[in-house]
Amino acid sequence: MTDWQAFSVEIKDHVAQVTLIGPGKGNVMGPDFWRELPELFAELDADGEVRVIVLTGSGKNFSYGLDLTGMSGTFASLLADRAFAAPRTDFLVELRKMQASITAVADCRKPVIAAVSGWCVGGGLDLIAAADIRLASAEAKFSLREAKVAIVADVGSLHRLPGIIGEGQLRELAYTGKDIDAARAEKIGLVSDVYPDQDAVLDAAHAMAREIAANPPLVVQGIKDVLDQRTKDTVAAGLRYVAAWNSAFLPSEDLTEAVQAVFEKREPRFQGR
């Protein structure tokens, strides 16, 4: 197994535990994360010893989402030269790579169980939406936060969550950018079950993984393949559309204001420009 920078991997009894390990206490998603995620899941997909994957975060939180500092270069030229085609094209290429990273989780033939504790924000929600099953600890909190930073969510949550929580619930979360707790997440179907604490949810995820791994692996993979056919083309088309939309319309004074507000630790003042 490769030596990863953004993940740790442990494999035992046909179950692989993939743990987000940073950088920082919130396991933010920086360049290493986006580069390594598809490589890691390709390795696990090809590993005949792995039948199920448990996905979790190190420390108290699953993920704070996109590493704005580490990924600032992706947005810099787009905001600096907003009228020109070249930076928009470069951004489109990078965004499609990021989309493909999350899609690698959804496309993995092995079932993926997300065990979520603490905060699961923005890109973290995109990531667990690509998992097959989601479990949470009682203190977990979830937020489709992109609207609050002047971004249309563009790596999968808007396309995968309708089949998980329904259109109305998704629109509420996406339009408001609000936080919800584990109890609300269970109520709307974002997570299947809630457990008392981080250790309990991880234990439950592994127990479920072992139960799945005990079944014929090719049959389990076949079930996942058949189920995925219902939505795969729709999700792919939606990702292409939002990538083009954001490449055209993402550059704005509001986005600049959102980024500055994050770095200055203050509330943004959006003007609709």
Side-chain angles (χ1 to χ4, degrees), residues 49-70:
E49 289 299 307
V50 174
R51 298 184 180 182
V52 187
I53 300 165
V54 172
L55 180 61
T56 193
S58 62
K60 295 182 179 180
N61 299 291
F62 184 80
S63 178
Y64 287 167
L66 185 70
D67 181 359
L68 288 175
T69 302

Side-chain angles (χ1 to χ4, degrees), residues 229-266:
Q229 294 312 304
R230 297 180 297 111
T231 57
K232 184 171 291 187
D233 290 344
T234 301
V235 170
L239 289 172
R240 289 194 299 272
Y241 183 86
V242 74
W245 198 97
N246 266 359
S247 298
F249 298 115
L250 185 65
S252 67
E253 292 182 14
D254 281 347
L255 177 57
T256 301
E257 166 64 11
V259 174
Q260 289 177 344
V262 169
F263 288 123
E264 295 171 8
K265 298 182 179 180
R266 60 173 175 81

Side-chain angles (χ1 to χ4, degrees), residues 1 16 66 69 75 150 206 211-212 221 224 232 234-235 271:
M1 182 64 67
L66 185 70
T69 302
F75 299 97
H206 276 276
E211 186 176 3
I212 295 170
Q221 292 172 29
K224 178 169 181 174
K232 184 171 291 187
T234 301
V235 170
Q271 304 296 321

Side-chain angles (χ1 to χ4, degrees), residues 191-243:
V191 300
S192 299
D193 285 295
V194 176
Y195 298 86
D197 53 37
Q198 188 173 30
D199 290 338
V201 71
L202 194 57
D203 288 345
H206 276 276
M208 184 181 294
R210 289 191 297 270
E211 186 176 3
I212 295 170
N215 289 328
L218 295 181
V219 170
V220 172
Q221 292 172 29
I223 293 169
K224 178 169 181 174
D225 185 42
V226 170
L227 289 173
D228 287 349
Q229 294 312 304
R230 297 180 297 111
T231 57
K232 184 171 291 187
D233 290 344
T234 301
V235 170
L239 289 172
R240 289 194 299 272
Y241 183 86
V242 74

Side-chain angles (χ1 to χ4, degrees), residues 70-81:
M71 299 297 291
S72 60
T74 303
F75 299 97
S77 61
L78 189 66
L79 293 174
D81 301 311

